[in-house]
Amino acid sequence: MTRTPDNILDSGGVLIVGAGLAGLFAALKLKEPVTLLSAASLGSGASSAWAQGGIAAALGADDSPELHARDTEAAGAGIVDPKIARLIASEAAARIDDLAHLGVPFDRDADDRFVLGREAAHSKHRIVRVTGDRAGAEIMAALVRAVKATPRIRVIEGLVAFELALEAGRVAGVYAHRIADKTSPVLVRADATIFALGGVGGLFEVTTNPPQARGQGLGMAARAGALTADPEFVQFHPTAIAVGRDPAPLATEALRGEGALLVNDSDERFMTAVHADAELAPRDVVARGIFRELRAGRKVFLDARAAIGATFPAAFPTVFAYCIAEGIDPRIDLIPVAPAAHYHMGGIAVDENARTSLPGLWAIGECASTGAHGANRLASNSLLEAVVFGARAAIDVADIQHRAARAVAPSTIADAPPSALAIATLRKTMTLNVGLERNADDLEAAIATIARLENAGAGDPDLRNMTATATLIATAALRRTESRGGHFRSDFPAADPEMAKRTFITLAEARRVTKGAARAKLPLRAVV
Ligand SMILES: Cc1cc2nc3c(=O)[nH]c(=O)nc-3n(C[C@H](O)[C@H](O)[C@H](O)COP(=O)(O)OP(=O)(O)OC[C@H]3O[C@@H](n4cnc5c(N)ncnc54)[C@H](O)[C@@H]3O)c2cc1C
């Protein structure tokens, strides 16, 4: 149904959509008035608040931004943009300083120096933490306090953005609806729009991400014609706590760093047969090792009893609380685990100032693809990228001229929310056919299922954003006929040196592949 927005709000110039770390930090860095729009109440509905590890920054005496950049490139499996890796590594110290000034209580030693932790694939101790595993919660709490105390930041909660507003080819804000009422769209008009809309984990059946992370930002931008980058690269966290909760709580990698072991229900340490580094192998290798055990019908557990034991509650309070809530005492019990969709390396393609290919639109945080992560993100680099690019976007939009609000074209919005069955089918399809192990038949089946769901639910803009993002992920995965980083093709298990480059793709290009795949064959493993 086509409706003219009942309400037009003027952002006063700059509009930030999404209030995780990237959005809050950009708002605080801006000097001019800004409107900050969030679907959930401030501080909730954001992956940022759930981060357990911390932020990577080369602050140790034996470390340097160059070493950090090299580790970032090595983790990214050949397709990290070296310039961007050096940019985030070299701006890390200044951004940590900013966060400390905003009140983030980073862990410090007796000499007031940052306590630096170590995580997989980092060659040095360089993770700044807060109270063990509470980094995300404490960083977000400090920033929410700072935003609430800053009068030039106007916060609008409970509005879900569903479509970009365009005026003569330029982004002029977003259309949004209230959470419970999709029938009265609101246009929030802006001269500069910054997307900080988070990731895509919720497009998969098992995920560590909050329900708001369903690829809405990438989908909206792609539907408006934005160039996207590396959408096929999704990182699966090896050890979500498998207790049937959606989203699945995370058992941080640091547990394995402290010596916790992975065992199956025959009490075998199966990872020793998979990789020389066993439990500390790269994230994607461990995730696939667990996936294969589960697929073979075995259960997988994290055994922290000997390595962490009695120190668990103090060392890992968040994970301890998750376990206890499920009746598991990790000091004496095994923790059941399974891989879960966790982080999107791909996103809206941006340059080093966070500009997208659409005039008037910037993108920061997980919804953007800067080239920093390549095919696999180095642990704790995503919060870093969020603050580095949040600050850069804030500087870049500063010189925009405010123009008076103009009439804009009406938007299309459905009367009903997308069917729960359509979303469940989409998530199941993504996990089964576009997950940890992919092949051409499964990907073509997924593409056909996504297209069918999109056609059936064509009226609903939220579903259209999800299916647009799913189409980009599945299509780019089909086109990448090799295995690299987070993308594993069982029909092409080796890396192809010819394909050691980033993917750049628009939704229109993806749809051409989609049509070809649909014509090529009927779904082999369509889930409904
Ligand atoms: C469990 C977990 C642990 C992690 N641990 C770490 C770690 O230790 N270190 C690290 O570097 N990274 C970690 N990550 C990754 C990191 O947390 C994220 O990449 C990062 O927080 C993304 O920040 P963001 O601001 O881009 O998105 P988010 O923090 O997800 O914020 C997105 C915002 O957009 C809003 N939103 C979404 N859709 C809409 C819409 N349609 N309309 C309006 N608003 C909308 C959401 O409500 C939210 O406010 C972890 C992730 C998870 C899930």
Side-chain angles (χ1 to χ4, degrees):
M1 171 186 307
T2 300
R3 285 173 184 267
T4 306
D6 300 334
N7 256 315
I8 299 184
L9 300 176
D10 190 350
S11 70
V14 182
L15 170 67
I16 298 176
V17 193
L21 178 59
L24 295 177
F25 194 76
L28 288 161
K29 274 283 177 183
L30 272 160
K31 301 272 179 285
E32 39 290 285
V34 54
T35 298
L36 181 62
L37 190 150
S38 176
S41 60
L42 216 52
S44 62
S47 290
S48 301
W50 294 1
Q52 294 178 4
I55 308 186
L59 301 174
D62 62 344
D63 203 359
S64 70
E66 179 57 27
L67 288 178
H68 183 180
R70 279 191 220 158
D71 289 348
T72 301
E73 284 185 86
I79 59 166
V80 166
D81 182 333
K83 192 176 73 189
I84 300 296
R86 274 154 193 80
L87 185 152
I88 62 165
S90 61
E91 294 181 11
R95 298 294 77 86
I96 298 291
D97 210 35
D98 289 342
L99 289 171
H101 278 100
L102 285 166
V104 176
F106 289 115
D107 292 349
R108 296 182 187 255
D109 64 17
D111 298 323
D112 207 32
R113 286 182 304 232
F114 293 107
V115 175
L116 299 173
R118 180 140 177 209
E119 284 183 343
H122 284 277
S123 59
K124 301 286 174 193
H125 283 77
R126 64 165 75 97
I127 316 300
V128 288
R129 299 177 183 278
V130 192
T131 327
D133 64 4
R134 288 192 45 79
E138 296 291 346
I139 292 170
M140 286 292 284
L143 265 58
V144 166
R145 270 194 304 274
V147 162
K148 285 185 173 162
T150 307
R152 67 176 171 73
I153 304 175
R154 176 171 58 152
V155 176
I156 304 177
E157 295 164 308
L159 270 192
V160 180
F162 65 86
E163 195 168 295
L164 276 169
L166 296 166
E167 274 177 18
R170 188 182 165 85
V171 173
V174 292
Y175 296 98
H177 60 75
R178 307 213 169 270
I179 290 176
D181 175 14
K182 290 200 171 191
T183 59
S184 310
V186 177
L187 167 65
V188 189
R189 213 201 152 280
D191 300 311
T193 302
I194 303 177
F195 266 14
L197 284 155
V200 305
L203 290 179
F204 292 80
E205 195 173 34
V206 185
T207 180
T208 61
N209 291 189
Q212 287 77 6
R214 289 190 173 167
Q216 293 285 330
L218 176 54
M220 271 185 267
R223 284 175 50 223
L227 186 64
T228 77
D230 302 334
E232 67 271 41
F233 293 109
V234 177
Q235 187 173 80
F236 292 83
H237 198 287
T239 55
I241 304 176
V243 285
R245 270 177 54 189
D246 179 26
L250 185 74
T252 171
E253 200 147 48
L255 292 160
R256 278 173 286 127
E258 292 297 320
L261 303 176
L262 285 166
V263 293
N264 61 21
D265 42 11
S266 303
D267 206 23
E268 281 163 358
R269 266 187 77 197
F270 56 90
M271 279 308 299
T272 50
V274 176
H275 194 279
D277 292 333
E279 284 82 1
L280 296 178
R283 217 172 238 197
D284 56 301
V285 176
V286 180
R288 276 196 301 279
I290 297 174
F291 173 76
R292 286 173 187 160
E293 290 293 306
L294 296 173
R295 195 177 50 188
R298 293 184 280 275
K299 292 197 169 108
V300 176
F301 302 93
L302 198 56
D303 183 353
R305 294 173 301 181
I308 302 168
T311 62
F312 208 117
F316 299 100
T318 306
V319 184
F320 188 74
Y322 286 147
C323 289
I324 292 296
E326 299 297 332
I328 300 163
D329 183 342
R331 293 169 293 192
I332 48 174
D333 297 326
L334 298 174
I335 307 169
V337 290
H342 184 59
Y343 182 77
H344 197 203
M345 279 71 80
I348 308 162
V350 294
D351 69 9
E352 62 196 50
N353 292 315
R355 285 188 194 194
T356 72
S357 64
L358 299 179
L361 181 69
W362 286 253
I364 55 177
E366 196 169 332
C367 70
S369 181
T370 64
H373 308 298
N376 218 349
R377 170 189 68 127
L378 182 66
S380 290
N381 263 356
S382 38
L383 293 179
L384 172 62
E385 186 200 44
V387 287
V388 166
F389 277 83
R392 289 185 152 254
I395 293 168
D396 202 55
V397 300
D399 60 354
I400 54 143
Q401 300 294 314
H402 184 50
R403 295 166 294 165
R406 276 176 250 155
V408 288
S411 153
T412 305
I413 189 160
D415 284 334
S419 96
L421 178 63
I423 293 178
T425 305
L426 178 64
R427 297 181 72 193
K428 194 169 194 145
T429 304
M430 293 300 282
T431 289
L432 274 181
N433 294 10
V434 197
L436 268 160
E437 287 201 359
R438 301 161 169 178
N439 63 60
D441 285 345
D442 284 355
L443 289 167
E444 284 170 2
I447 287 168
T449 302
I450 296 163
R452 192 175 47 72
L453 291 171
E454 185 164 75
N455 291 336
D460 189 280
D462 293 338
L463 183 65
R464 278 206 309 261
N465 292 329
M466 290 180 224
T467 50
T469 299
T471 299
L472 284 161
I473 296 171
T475 305
L478 180 65
R479 287 209 315 196
R480 189 171 281 278
T481 48
E482 63 153 1
S483 292
R484 184 179 296 279
H487 167 73
F488 183 83
R489 288 280 300 256
S490 54
D491 47 352
F492 294 95
D496 176 355
E498 297 278 307
M499 301 193 88
K501 48 184 177 259
R502 298 181 66 201
T503 297
F504 289 98
I505 186 169
T506 62
L507 187 58
E509 286 160 2
R511 295 223 188 278
R512 281 199 284 279
V513 179
T514 302
K515 286 206 181 92
R519 264 199 307 272
K521 60 176 71 179
L522 287 170
L524 297 179
R525 268 181 54 191
V527 287
V528 289

